[in-house]
Every structure is written in structure tokens, then in C-alpha cells.
Amino acid sequence: MITKPKGKERIIYLFLVLSGYATLVILCSIIVYILLKGFSHISLEFITQTPRKMGAEGGIFPVIVGTFYFVTLTILIAAPLGIGAAIYLHEYTREGTITRIIRFGTELLAGIPSIIFGLFGYAFFVVLLGDITQGWSLLSGALTATCMILPTIIRTSEEALKTVSRSLREASLALGATRWQTIYKVVLPSSLPGILTGIILGIGRAVGETAALLLTLGGSLLMPQSLFHGTRTLSMHLYMVAMETGNMDAAYATGVILIIIVLLINFIANYGIKRLVTRNTTTTARS
């Protein structure tokens, strides 16, 4: 039977409750403010037309497409690398100096400011590898964003792998499966919800990034035709329209579109994760 908190525990309990509601109020205030400022400026033409006069007029259709291309390419590069690194660290190595160095490097990368990644991406991907990436391009921006979100995907994927019971691995190996078959057939399906959570966090950081992409993605307002063409994301467009053209109406409207896209991504991802958890629970119960 749970008893109500008393004395100091009641004060701590009240503080925790207020902290939770304060976070919710701050989030809702930001969303509602942007929606009120920008929703009235959204129209079919704004969504489907091409920007004019550096984004001060026209629409944002190429920017939406560029954002989709950028995020898709970044995840296609970062997810296999991050999940593969997590599998190696947790399933194929023992605790030792090299493993600790890799984990320390991962944590260090997670704390580096994004502008540092932007400077590195400009020097390495745009300048040094310019013959391959064609300078400012989707590829340069995606590779830079990959470096930024890899630590998040690696750490969350590794934590997800740790949640899988050791008895499941031992049972699979005892039945004659190889280590890779055990990882592919048993461990990864069970840890998939946690891995997807890390990927979602990575998408959120990539979509919301501006500073690093200003130095690598190019900022073109034209429709990207290939990986070697420059483009801009919605966050970049919002910043550049607000700072360079002063058209705050277009900036707020772009912010509304960005919020809607982020909410849709999170809603779809959370729904998919819940379905996976339910299916895995049902499969485990039947077996």
C-alpha cells in the first residue's frame, strides 16, 4: 500500500510535480506562440511555391524537399554506423582500455558545440574532399550531421542492447546459432524500440541544426537535383529569412511548418515503437 508523502518528502514531491508541469507549460507556450504568430501566414502557395528574393517572398517547397533529403541521407549514413558501433562495443569486445577510450571519445563528441562540427565539416568535407563532395552540398551537410548525431545513436543503441537478457543469448547459442545469428535474430529485435528512440533523437538534432549546416550545406534556395547540390533545411531557412530579410511573417510561418513536421515524425515514431513493444511482448508470451 502506497502512503502519501509527509514533511520533507511532501515538499520534494511538490517540487517534482511543479517541475513536470513547468516543463509542460514552457513547451506549450513556445508551440502556441509560434502557431499564433505564423499560422495565419500559411497558405497553399506558401507550401508549394519556390522562394523569391532570398526567401522574403514566395514559398518554401524546395526547402521542405531539401530538409527531407538531408534528414533521410543523414540517417541512412548514421544509423548503420551507430548501431554497428554499439553492437561491436557491447557484443564483441570486453571491458578494457580500448573500449573505455572509444566510450570516452563518444561522450566527448556528444558535448562538442555544433559550430565546431561545422568548422570541421567545412575544412574536411567541403574543402579537403571537395572533389568528391562537390563542396557545399547535401553530401557534405549529411556527413557533418552524421558526426554530430553518431554519439547519440551509439550510446542509446548500446543501452538498448544492455536491456536484452543474457539468458536469451545463452539459449540461442545453446540451440546452435552463431553469435551473429543470435544478434540478428534475438538481440536486435528485442532492443529495436530503444535503438529507434536513439535514431529519433538524432533526427531531432539534425532537423533543428543551423550553425553547422550554414558552413556545409550551402543554403541554396533551388530544388536539389542530386547529392552534390546545395540546399537548405527549414531551420536554416527560418534563421536566414529572419536575420537577412527581416520578414518575420515568413519566419514564423516556416517555424509552424517545422513544428508540424517534427510533431508528425515523433508521433509516427512513437506509434511504431509502441507497436514493436506490443508485438515483442506478445511473441515472448507465446514462446
Side-chain angles (χ1 to χ4, degrees):
M1 182 176 180
I2 300 176
T3 59
K4 293 184 178 180
K6 297 179 181 180
K8 292 182 179 180
E9 292 185 359
R10 185 183 293 275
I11 295 175
I12 295 173
Y13 176 76
L14 180 62
F15 172 75
L16 295 176
V17 172
L18 291 176
S19 298
Y21 281 110
T23 303
L24 182 61
V25 169
I26 293 172
L27 173 63
C28 292
S29 299
I30 294 173
I31 293 176
V32 170
Y33 179 80
I34 298 299
L35 290 177
L36 291 176
K37 284 286 188 177
F39 198 80
S40 60
H41 302 289
I42 295 178
S43 63
L44 183 62
E45 290 76 15
F46 181 75
I47 297 175
T48 57
Q49 287 183 357
T50 301
R52 301 188 302 274
K53 295 184 179 180
M54 300 301 295
E57 298 179 4
I60 58 170
F61 183 69
V63 181
I64 296 175
V65 175
T67 303
F68 175 77
Y69 285 169
F70 165 73
V71 172
T72 302
L73 181 59
T74 300
I75 294 302
L76 286 177
I77 299 172
L81 290 175
I83 297 171
I87 291 174
Y88 171 74
L89 288 172
H90 189 263
E91 302 292 336
Y92 286 96
T93 62
R94 297 179 179 178
E95 287 296 329
T97 303
I98 296 179
T99 305
R100 287 194 293 270
I101 291 174
I102 294 175
R103 289 201 176 98
F104 176 76
T106 301
E107 294 172 359
L108 185 63
L109 284 175
I112 293 178
S114 60
I115 190 62
I116 303 300
F117 284 102
L119 291 172
F120 167 77
Y122 173 76
F124 188 69
F125 298 122
V126 176
V127 178
L128 187 62
L129 300 182
D131 293 337
I132 300 175
T133 62
Q134 300 302 310
W136 290 290
S137 63
L138 261 171
L139 184 57
S140 296
L143 290 173
T144 303
T146 296
C147 296
M148 293 172 53
I149 68 174
L150 261 180
T152 301
I153 296 178
I154 292 173
R155 294 301 294 162
T156 54
S157 298
E158 191 175 0
E159 292 300 322
L161 293 173
K162 291 179 181 178
T163 62
V164 181
S165 174
R166 186 176 182 83
S167 60
L168 291 177
R169 296 178 174 84
E170 294 174 348
S172 177
L173 294 172
L175 291 173
T178 64
R179 176 175 291 186
W180 171 245
Q181 288 174 332
T182 299
I183 294 171
Y184 180 71
K185 296 288 186 179
V186 178
V187 177
L188 283 179
S190 300
S191 60
L192 193 56
I195 293 174
L196 289 178
T197 300
I199 294 175
I200 294 170
L201 294 173
I203 291 175
R205 184 172 185 186
V207 169
E209 186 52 50
T210 302
L213 302 183
L214 287 172
L215 299 173
T216 56
L217 200 54
S220 173
L221 286 170
L222 301 176
M223 184 74 71
Q225 302 297 323
S226 71
L227 301 180
F228 306 105
H229 284 80
T231 187
R232 65 170 63 177
T233 63
L234 286 166
S235 296
M236 286 179 60
H237 184 71
L238 191 158
Y239 172 81
M240 297 177 77
V241 167
M243 294 296 102
E244 295 183 4
T245 69
N247 188 348
M248 296 306 298
D249 292 338
Y252 282 122
T254 303
V256 172
I257 299 298
L258 180 59
I259 288 175
I260 292 174
I261 290 176
V262 171
L263 289 177
L264 284 175
I265 291 174
N266 280 274
F267 175 79
I268 295 172
N270 287 324
Y271 176 77
I273 289 173
K274 290 180 180 178
R275 290 291 300 271
L276 284 173
V277 171
T278 302
R279 188 179 65 181
N280 290 339
T281 303
T282 304
T283 302
T284 303
R286 288 178 179 176
S287 58

